[in-house]
Every structure is written in structure tokens, then in C-alpha cells.
Amino acid sequence: MLNNEIFIHLSFAGGLIFIVWVTAMIIVRMERSKQLQATIDKLKKTLDEMDEQAKLIVRTDMELNKTQEELDKKMTGLYALQRLSSAISTTLEEEQIFKMIDPNYLEELNFEKSCALLWNERLKAFQIQLSVGYSEEATGKIKSAPGLGEIGETLLKGEHTFSSASLQHNDGLKNKIQSIFKTSFFVLSPIMPKEGSRGFIFVGTDNPEALINEGDEELITILANQLGQALENARLFEKTWRAQHDLEKKVEERTKELTSALNEVKMISKRKTDFISAVSHELRTPLTSVKGYAAILLSGKLGDIPSEIRERLEKINRHSDELVHMVNDLLDIARIEANRMTMNKENLDLKAALDGIMDLLSGQFKEKQINFNAEIPQDANKIFADRSQISRVFINLFGNALKFTPAQGTISVRAHKTDGFVQIDVSDTGCGIPEEAREAIFEEFYRVDNSINQEVKGTGLGLSLVKHIVEAHNGKIWVKSKVGSGSTFSFTIPQTG
Amino acid sequence: MEISIGVSIEKDPASAAREALKEAIKNLSSDSKISLAIAFSSIDLAGTAILKTIGDSLANTPVIGCSGAAVISNKGIFKHGLALMLLCCPKGTSLNAASASEIKSKSSLEAGRELGEKLLSGFKDTRRDLSIVFSDGLIEDSSGLIHGLEEKLGMSFPTIGCAASDNLNFLRTYLFLNQNLLADSAVGVLLGGGKLHFSMGIRHGWKPLGKPREVTFSKGNLVLEIDGQSAAKIYEEYLARKITELKKELKNFSILYPLGIYLPGEDEYLLRNIISIEHNGALRFQGDVPQGSQVRLMIGTRTSCLIAAKEAAEEAKAGLFNPYLNNRSPKKYFVLLFDSIFRNLLLSREANKELEIIKKVFGQDIPIIGLYTYGEYAPLKALNYRGKIYAHNQGVAMLAIGE
């Protein structure tokens, strides 16, 4: 009984303990579950927060992508533009400029269609210079589209670029452009070179992804400016080239005229020479007879002659001599001009040649009381010339000097070496030659109009002959003179053959 | 085995074909027999003229290929061009090229089955190794095509390929089979005989972002609900845009932030681009999104894209030289490259870098031919090539194949 009671008590206690334990366990579990729930809630919250962050990331990424896309587009555009610009600048021919636009570069700018037009003043219409992405038929339709002129005028008047994006509020113009160029999205920019005809460039695409914006307008404006610049350069080049070409043509024409005039002069000169030569020959024979008969009469072989007649006969004789002299000079000039006179050139000693001449002329020097001096340095003493002809040069020059130099005057000869030649200066202290006559004195039959010439006779052939002889030696002759002080005749003769 | 590539950027299709052929044939030995020609062309050249020129020159050699937004070779990326690869397979190699047309009217699944069956014909006693498949880039249910193909060729049969593309106008894409220019079709070639060694690699480089979500209601490539809400809501929330705005910017954000499907055991999520937003807020994707799958919004950067290309190339190369997979290293090999055009858009000016990275992995002399696509077909577990084939978006897939 007691055991039974004890058992009941113990069972009760055990049950109580079990209940307490179960209760405690439940409480612990509940607590854990609560904690878990809290953790789950926390994790969920974190996940939600992270999802919110993800949304922020996506939105930021979208912005970044948009910016990067724009940047990429611009970079690609700039590269394409740079290549286009350098292609355009490689030519200076107007017709070639538009051919340099490679459709691939335009495609890199995201445009598959393009047209460039320039105003043609003669046809009073815009002419197509470039057509990309259009068939021949389509290009023809654009060219003859009625609104094309108006679009061009609007562009050139406004002087700025517009696009399908910037024309959003001008549906009329936008629709017109779309219908003429058969393209939904476009940019148009005026081409305005400073000189010559102007025009515009059209670029377009039907790709809605292209999203034309201000950046495209800027790029096409730069391209249009480059085209304008290239046209301007080409036109300036063309102008310069044409001017040069005209000039060359004119020079050529003038040269032709001058050559023909020269030939005429040469022909006339030859005729004159031939004429003089012929006349001189014809004159010499009767002159010889005149002089012969005068001499016979003067010799008295045909009987005595009264002094009056003698006097006249002597005049005839003297004038005949002068005439013979003159005819000989003329013949020499004619021969030299016609290259018929042979120069027997040899190495000569200038001093010796001068001494020989002075032997002949010393009487005249003395008679007119003229001083003579010569300065021939050793290095200028050798000349290569025809002995007798060079003597004629000196005789003529000294003769002239003697004629125009008053008493007590001086005639001097100086020589010096110059570039393979010897320059010989014959100076006098005579009356000098007026400036206007200095060139002409070397012409045949020219005589300076002065009192001495009126008194002293001369043929007017001496200096001309001298000039011919010097030139036949490849030398030159010129004169320096001061009226009242004297003249210096200078000529050059080669030193060696 | 001999491999030779010819590329032309001539504007006239026939001239381009002649030039590419001339260059490719020049590098082959005179007695070599060309087993297969693979041609990729930009949309402006895609036409019967190139196929006729190639066909006339190569007589009975099978020709397959498709159009792309740009073609790729060792020489670079060409927006306008033709890339042609001539392949002389080792003796004992079998191959069969085929096509399935009118996909829209008969369903992608049916077309896949038809293509599989046609490819198998003539392969009864020959070991089958690999199939290369190109499909019209504008068909919406490309996964169906893969499923149909798998039904006939085998569930994990190695297959690689792409959806053809045009110049992002989404108007028309073309497939090439011999002298036939096809649209609304799929073409493929089945290679067998056990002589070829190959390996594949595919990566995209996009990373998951935000909370994991569950597709609670979907039919094929149409997702109606995510987490019990209209599918478009996820984009409305993340991008802070209304549906009307989303529709306008669809192409842009679909590339930047595609949906990623979590695949257990895989390194990367399977990407899905949105094709359209329906009026009820449902999203239509380029490829299946199974109901119950866990999805996340994905985000990619240029750097992550370039790293992914390197990883894909390394994976393909490692597989080819792995002694457990291929009993000997190939003497010669080439690379077929299928690169998503959307990667090109994202990489923009750095698109060339991706090709350079791939070339660096394989070696500058390894012939590469490829194109930009609207989708890529490849197994995800590429290393052991026993993986299931998926229709990928925004990936860069490559097949390294040699003797």
C-alpha cells in the first residue's frame, strides 16, 4: 500500500518534472525559432536592401552606358572625320574633292546615305557632286525634286546646320527633306567657300538606333566646313595656275613676235648689206677711172693745165680718194656682217702693235700738238686678234680722238685684264659726246651734230667698222663721255684663242 | 587535313567570291580534295551570286554558311565582306550537309527534327562526331530547333552553331547550302568517322545582380509571370522605367541587362534577350525560359565580356589538348567563331580587342573564321562535351577542330 503510494507520488513528481522539462524545451524552442525568424527577417531585409542597391547599380550603369555610348560615337565620329578631312585635303582638283569621301567613313559616322550639291550658276540649279547609298535613278529624282532649291537656299541663307532632331518644330521643312532624300533621319549643313559656287551636304540614315543629336550636327558642320575650305583651296589653286598659264602663254606669244621681228630685222639688214656691197662694187670701177683720169691730167702728160684746172683736178683726186676709202670701209662692214670677212687671228703683242700704229700717226699728233701716253701692263699685253684689223680699230679711234681733241690735249691708251679678255680704253680730252648720241655713233653714217663735224669731213663709217671688227673678235665696245671733258672708248679683245 | 581561308571585301558579290576563292585555293596543295566549304558573308553580299561562283568553282563540294552582321577572320572584323574556309578532311571522315525549310509554318521543333533526320541519312554505320548548325536569325523559338535536333541526333550530341544575322535591321537573314540561298530555314553539316578532334568553349561574361526570382508562369519563350507578378515588372523596378518607356528602349536594355537562368553546376547563367514586351506585361525572350526556373537580372561590362571571351577560348583550346578527351594533340586545327552582335554593340570601339584576345589564346597562326550572330548554339558543359545543347544569347562560342 505504502509502496503503491510512494510509486504514485514518485510518478506524479516525475510527471511534473517531465511537464516542466517539456515546457522548458518548448520555451527554448520557441525562443530559438524566434531568433531564427529574426535572423531570417534580417537576412530578408539585407537581401531586399541589396536588391535596392542592385537597382541603384543598374540605374547608374544605364547612365554610364549612355554616356559611354555617346562618347564612343563621338570618338568614332572624330576618327572618321579626321580620315575624311585628310582624304579631302589630298587633292587640289575641285572635281576630285567629293570623290575622296569614302562611304565607309560615312558609315562609321552611322550614315548610310549622303548627297553633296553645289549651285551651278549657268544652269541655275543645284548639281549633285556626291551620291552615296542611292541608285542612279534615285539620284536623278533628288536632282530634279522641286523643293531642292528652296532647301539649299534656306541652308545657305541661315548659314547653319540643321537635322531631323533640330527641325522637330518645323514639320514642313522636315517632311520636305525626308520626302526628297527618302530618309527618316538626317543632317544638312551648308558648304560655303569664300569664292565660287556654294552648296550643301546631306547625310542620312533610316536606322532609328542612330539617334541623331547635336554631336552629329557638330561633326557634319565640321565636314561641311572642311569641304568648303577644300573647294576654296582648289579654286584658288586653279586661279593661280590659270594666271600662271596665261602668263606663260603671253610670254610665249611675245617671244614669237619678237623672234619674227628679229628675223625681219636680220633680213632687212642682210638686204642692206647686200645692197651696200653691190653698190660699193659698182662704185669702185668708175671711181678708179675718175681717179685714173684725174691723175693722168694732173701729171701733165696730156699737156699743161692752168692752175685753176689743176686746183679743181686735185680736188677731184682728193675726193676720189675719200670715196674709195669710204667704199672700202663699206665693203668691209658688209663683209663682216655677212660673215664673209675672215679674221686671221694670232697672238699679238699689244705694245708692239701700238708702236707700229704710232709710227704712222706720230706726224698728226705732232701737228695738232696732242700728247700721247700708253699704259700697257705686262699681264694685259697679249691679245689674240687679226693684226691688220686691230690696227684699223686703233687708227679709227685715234683718228676720231685727234679730230675732236683741241691742241695741248691728251690721248691715252690703257689696258687691263678682265675675265679672259683685255680691256683697252682709248681716252681723249676732246669735246665729248652728248648722251643722246652715245648709242648712235656706232651706227653707219651717223655723225654727231657739232661744229667740228661740220668743218671736218668724215664718212660716218669709222666707228661702225670698229664695232664690227671688235664684235667679230667676240669682244664688246662702248663709250663713256662727258661733254666738254672728253670721251673714253673701251673695247675688249680675247687674250687667247 | 588542310585548312585555308580567303577573305574579300569587294562590293560586287561575284567578285568577292572569286577573290576569296582565289586566296583560299592558293594556300592549298594542288592534289588536295576539298571536303567542305564554310562561307560567311555580310548581308549586302549574301545572294545567289556568291553561292553560284563558289559552287561553279568547287563543283560537288558541299557549301554551308549564313549571313552575319559582320564577318570575322584572323585579319579582322569586316562589316562588308565574305569569309570563306576550305577544309580538306582527313581520310575516313564522313560528312553530310542538309537543310530544313519553312520553319515558321511547321514549328521550330519539327524543323529541328527534319534537319536531324536529313543529317543522319547516310550515317548508319559510321561514327558520328559533331554537327554544325546555322538557323534563320529571326525565328523566335530557336530552343525548339535545338530540341528537335537533339531528338534525332542524341540528347548530348556535340553541336555548335548560330542564328544568322543581318545588319541589325532584323529584316531578313540568309542560310547557305550549296548553291541555295535560304531564309526561314536551318542548315547543318554532320561530321563523323572519328578522325577529327574538337573542343568547344562558350562564355558571355554577364554577372547576376539583385534578388533571385522565380519564373512562376511561362510557355516556351514567353514569360508571363515572375514571382507571381507580370514579368515586365522586374524591369520596371530595376530600371525605374514605365512599360511604354521600356518598349522604346527595349533593344538597348535587353542587351545590357538580359535575364539570366540559373543552371545548377554551370559556371555562368544562361542568358535570355527580350524580343518584345507584350501588352499584358509578358516578356518574349529569344529562347526558352522554363517555368519554375530561377532567374536574375544580369549585368555586363566591357571588361567582363573580354574576360569571358578569353575564358571561352582557353576552354576550347584546353579541351583540344586534353589527353583525357583527345588521345593525341592535333597537328593542325582551326577555329570557328560565333560571336553575338550584341557583344559587338556593348564592346563598341573595343570589339577588335575581343578578337585579339582570342587570337592570342589560340596563337596568331591558327586559322579563324566566324561571324556576328543573333544567337549561339553550344553545350554549356563544353569541356566534356556531354552537356546539353542550349540556345545562347550574347555569348561568344567557338569550336576548335583539328586532326
Side-chain angles (χ1 to χ4, degrees):
Chain A
M1 183 72 184
L2 187 69
N3 281 348
N4 215 7
E5 262 184 30
I6 292 168
F7 177 73
I8 289 167
H9 278 290
L10 280 173
S11 296
F12 182 75
L16 205 65
I17 290 165
F18 179 72
I19 289 166
V20 169
W21 181 78
V22 166
T23 314
M25 283 306 286
I26 288 170
I27 291 168
V28 168
R29 282 275 167 92
M30 278 178 69
E31 197 54 40
R32 271 193 194 164
S33 165
K34 242 186 193 171
Q35 278 175 0
L36 269 175
Q37 190 57 48
T39 312
I40 288 170
D41 286 348
K42 212 171 154 187
L43 279 172
K44 217 178 157 205
K45 199 172 170 239
T46 312
L47 197 61
D48 283 339
E49 279 171 4
M50 282 177 71
D51 201 43
E52 288 305 312
Q53 286 170 4
K55 287 172 190 170
L56 281 178
I57 290 171
V58 170
R59 289 165 202 169
T60 315
D61 189 60
M62 276 177 82
E63 293 299 320
L64 280 174
N65 270 309
K66 206 176 160 194
T67 315
Q68 188 163 35
E69 203 177 304
E70 277 171 15
L71 202 66
D72 274 353
K73 196 175 159 186
K74 218 160 206 180
M75 292 264 289
T76 312
L78 283 172
Y79 272 116
L81 190 67
Q82 190 258 334
R83 269 173 272 166
L84 271 171
S85 300
S86 52
I88 292 167
S89 61
T90 54
T91 183
L92 278 169
E93 283 176 62
E94 191 170 333
E95 295 79 35
Q96 290 297 318
I97 291 171
F98 292 99
K99 286 182 189 154
M100 293 291 167
I101 296 178
D102 187 333
N104 289 330
Y105 296 151
L106 286 171
E107 203 173 317
E108 279 179 38
L109 290 168
N110 288 319
F111 297 108
E112 69 269 12
K113 288 180 181 174
S114 179
C115 266
L117 300 104
L118 283 183
W119 179 254
N120 186 312
E121 191 55 42
R122 192 172 52 81
L123 300 171
K124 299 279 178 217
F126 281 102
Q127 294 293 298
I128 293 183
Q129 309 292 321
L130 163 84
S131 167
V132 175
Y134 291 103
S135 66
E136 251 178 61
E137 194 193 341
T139 309
K141 277 185 184 165
I142 292 170
K143 198 176 139 188
S144 55
L148 191 69
E150 188 192 327
I151 292 169
E153 270 173 37
T154 315
L155 269 166
L156 290 169
K157 215 177 266 175
E159 294 193 0
H160 65 80
T161 304
F162 51 66
S163 71
S164 45
S166 64
L167 283 181
Q168 266 173 353
H169 305 294
N170 188 349
D171 282 342
L173 187 57
K174 190 175 164 183
N175 292 342
K176 197 171 272 175
I177 295 166
Q178 283 170 335
S179 100
I180 290 176
F181 292 101
K182 307 268 178 276
T183 312
S184 315
F185 310 100
F186 58 81
V187 182
L188 282 156
S189 187
I191 300 171
M192 295 183 294
K194 279 179 197 145
E195 288 202 23
S197 67
R198 310 196 301 175
F200 63 94
I201 184 164
F202 157 89
V203 291
T205 177
D206 281 319
N207 180 7
E209 304 294 325
L211 295 173
I212 285 171
N213 54 26
E214 279 176 20
D216 293 294
E217 286 191 21
E218 280 164 20
L219 287 177
I220 301 305
T221 308
I222 296 170
L223 177 63
N225 288 344
Q226 294 274 2
L227 283 168
Q229 189 64 50
L231 282 174
E232 207 170 300
N233 290 346
R235 284 168 187 168
L236 276 174
F237 178 77
E238 171 80 17
K239 215 169 151 184
T240 316
W241 186 83
R242 196 159 281 179
Q244 193 190 338
H245 190 72
D246 286 351
L247 200 67
E248 276 173 12
K249 217 172 160 185
K250 268 183 193 160
V251 168
E252 204 175 309
E253 275 169 19
R254 292 282 181 277
T255 312
K256 253 186 203 167
E257 281 171 21
L258 283 172
T259 312
S260 112
L262 185 68
N263 285 339
E264 210 170 313
V265 168
K266 273 185 183 166
M267 205 178 70
I268 293 168
S269 168
K270 190 179 175 293
R271 273 190 203 147
K272 182 199 80 180
T273 311
D274 291 348
F275 172 76
I276 290 172
S277 175
V279 169
S280 308
H281 271 290
E282 294 305 315
L283 276 174
R284 233 180 9 187
T285 319
L287 260 176
T288 314
S289 304
V290 169
K291 194 177 151 53
Y293 289 123
I296 290 169
L297 286 174
L298 275 172
S299 68
K301 283 177 186 167
L302 299 178
D304 286 340
I305 40 171
S307 61
E308 290 85 7
I309 294 173
R310 173 170 290 276
E311 198 181 317
R312 304 300 188 275
L313 277 172
E314 274 169 355
K315 267 189 182 173
I316 290 172
N317 199 25
R318 201 169 59 244
H319 285 298
S320 297
D321 279 345
E322 276 169 12
L323 265 175
V324 168
H325 190 70
M326 193 172 159
V327 164
N328 283 341
D329 278 357
L330 270 174
L331 268 173
D332 282 346
I333 289 169
R335 276 192 204 121
I336 292 170
E337 272 186 352
N339 282 329
R340 282 204 299 266
M341 180 174 301
T342 335
M343 295 283 157
N344 297 315
K345 291 178 200 166
E346 57 185 318
N347 288 315
L348 292 181
D349 188 312
L350 186 57
K351 268 186 202 157
L354 262 178
D355 288 346
I357 293 156
M358 283 313 290
D359 281 348
L360 283 174
L361 298 176
S362 56
Q364 290 184 44
F365 274 84
K366 263 183 200 159
E367 191 185 320
K368 276 202 84 176
Q369 299 176 349
I370 304 283
N371 301 313
F372 175 80
N373 58 57
E375 280 175 39
I376 316 287
Q378 200 52 44
D379 67 342
N381 193 34
K382 292 279 174 232
I383 55 167
F384 187 72
D386 183 308
R387 186 185 296 273
S388 63
Q389 298 301 334
I390 217 73
S391 300
R392 289 176 83 175
V393 170
F394 279 115
I395 288 167
N396 270 296
L397 290 179
F398 287 155
N400 279 343
L402 280 167
K403 189 157 97 185
F404 298 109
T405 306
Q408 312 303 331
T410 304
I411 294 172
S412 53
V413 177
R414 284 186 188 80
H416 69 272
K417 226 168 82 170
T418 165
D419 266 344
F421 284 82
V422 172
Q423 181 181 322
I424 300 154
D425 306 317
V426 179
S427 308
D428 61 52
T429 52
C431 57
I433 305 157
E435 197 177 343
E436 64 276 7
R438 279 174 209 161
E439 282 290 314
I441 50 171
F442 293 106
E443 288 169 18
E444 288 136 39
F445 303 111
Y446 183 85
R447 303 195 77 208
V448 179
D449 186 18
N450 59 20
S451 55
I452 298 173
N453 264 340
Q454 279 161 15
E455 283 170 22
V456 185
K457 284 178 185 166
T459 58
L461 284 170
L463 280 175
S464 172
L465 182 69
V466 164
K467 186 170 185 268
H468 278 97
I469 293 169
V470 170
E471 281 172 0
H473 280 85
N474 298 322
K476 281 179 188 162
I477 183 160
W478 65 94
V479 65
K480 281 183 183 165
S481 181
K482 201 173 172 190
V483 176
S485 300
S487 308
T488 300
F489 283 85
S490 304
F491 64 97
T492 56
I493 295 291
Q495 272 196 303
T496 53
Chain B
M1 181 174 171
E2 277 191 87
I3 309 136
S4 182
I5 291 177
V7 176
S8 172
I9 52 167
E10 282 278 330
K11 283 186 177 150
D12 170 59
S15 313
R18 274 195 293 275
E19 191 179 76
L21 266 168
K22 197 177 162 192
E23 189 191 344
I25 290 171
K26 188 179 70 186
N27 298 322
L28 292 176
S29 48
S30 57
D31 58 342
S32 49
K33 188 178 178 319
I34 302 163
S35 335
L36 177 70
I38 301 174
F40 298 130
S41 92
S42 54
I43 197 76
D44 54 328
L45 289 178
T48 46
I50 51 169
L51 298 179
K52 191 173 181 313
T53 311
I54 296 170
D56 287 350
S57 171
L58 301 180
N60 296 320
T61 308
V63 180
I64 65 160
C66 62
S67 66
V71 297
I72 304 169
S73 88
N74 301 55
K75 288 181 186 167
I77 297 164
F78 305 97
K79 269 189 177 177
H80 302 282
L82 167 70
L84 177 73
M85 172 176 275
L86 302 180
L87 190 63
C88 307
C89 290
K91 258 191 183 169
T93 305
S94 309
L95 63 86
N96 185 31
S99 69
S101 297
E102 294 169 13
I103 298 177
K104 278 174 194 156
S105 63
K106 66 176 73 148
S107 90
S108 297
L109 187 69
E110 200 50 51
R113 285 177 187 146
E114 186 189 320
L115 181 64
E117 222 159 81
K118 282 186 182 171
L119 286 175
L120 280 176
S121 66
F123 261 81
K124 285 206 173 69
D125 302 319
T126 318
R127 174 184 153 168
R128 291 172 277 141
D129 294 328
L130 162 77
S131 72
I132 302 167
V133 177
F134 309 124
S135 72
D136 190 312
L138 304 179
I139 57 164
E140 290 184 353
D141 182 19
S142 45
S143 301
L145 186 84
I146 298 298
H147 295 324
L149 205 61
E150 273 185 330
E151 275 184 30
K152 297 294 170 187
L153 297 178
M155 284 311 283
S156 291
F157 184 71
T159 297
I160 195 161
C162 71
S165 61
D166 63 2
N167 49 356
L168 284 166
N169 283 337
F170 298 93
L171 293 175
R172 209 166 169 81
T173 68
Y174 293 103
L175 294 312
F176 311 147
L177 178 67
N178 303 324
Q179 295 208 17
N180 305 313
L181 182 75
L182 306 166
D184 189 24
S185 305
V187 299
V189 62
L190 184 62
L191 293 150
K195 302 284 179 190
L196 296 168
H197 298 267
F198 62 89
S199 173
M200 303 173 199
I202 179 153
R203 285 284 191 283
H204 51 69
W206 265 254
K207 306 291 176 198
L209 189 75
K211 270 201 301 197
R213 290 156 193 273
E214 193 187 328
V215 175
T216 44
F217 187 13
S218 78
K219 289 179 199 166
N221 67 337
L222 184 70
V223 177
L224 291 105
E225 285 180 15
I226 295 171
D227 280 353
Q229 289 184 310
S230 88
K233 194 92 183 157
I234 180 173
Y235 281 95
E236 284 183 281
E237 276 181 20
Y238 277 97
L239 274 61
R241 299 275 201 280
K242 287 179 190 155
I243 279 205
T244 45
E245 291 171 323
L246 285 177
K247 280 183 179 172
K248 266 191 214 163
E249 296 176 51
L250 177 68
K251 202 170 117 193
N252 207 18
F253 76 79
S254 166
I255 295 168
L256 291 171
Y257 316 108
L259 205 66
I261 306 170
Y262 174 67
L263 297 174
E266 293 292 353
D267 293 340
E268 288 194 315
Y269 281 58
L270 184 63
L271 294 189
R272 287 290 175 255
N273 285 132
I274 305 165
I275 301 172
S276 61
I277 302 172
E278 309 294 311
H279 65 279
N280 57 356
L283 301 175
R284 192 174 291 280
F285 288 93
Q286 203 181 359
D288 271 3
V289 184
Q291 188 166 315
S293 50
Q294 204 184 89
V295 293
R296 289 174 84 176
L297 192 82
M298 306 294 284
I299 188 166
T301 65
R302 288 183 179 183
T303 313
S304 67
C305 269
L306 293 176
I307 292 171
K310 186 167 178 264
E311 286 171 354
E314 282 169 350
E315 186 174 281
K317 192 181 178 185
L320 197 63
F321 288 89
N322 187 328
Y324 298 106
L325 301 177
N326 291 311
N327 51 10
R328 60 186 166 78
S329 295
K331 282 181 277 181
K332 266 183 187 173
Y333 73 101
F334 72 93
V335 175
L336 272 183
L337 178 64
F338 304 111
D339 200 350
S340 170
I341 183 61
F342 305 118
R343 298 175 71 79
N344 179 284
L345 291 183
L346 182 85
L347 288 169
S348 184
R349 293 171 42 76
E350 291 183 53
N352 275 313
K353 265 192 193 170
E354 190 178 45
L355 179 62
E356 288 309 313
I357 285 169
I358 294 168
K359 273 162 71 178
K360 204 173 170 190
V361 172
F362 287 112
Q364 298 292 330
D365 303 334
I366 300 299
I368 296 175
I369 181 176
L371 78 160
Y372 279 107
T373 70
Y374 282 165
E376 307 77 43
Y377 306 130
L380 260 182
K381 273 282 178 193
L383 197 61
N384 56 24
Y385 66 82
R386 289 188 180 84
K388 191 173 148 46
I389 314 300
Y390 284 97
H392 301 262
N393 294 159
Q394 309 203 157
V396 54
M398 47 204 102
L399 167 75
I401 180 166
E403 185 188 358

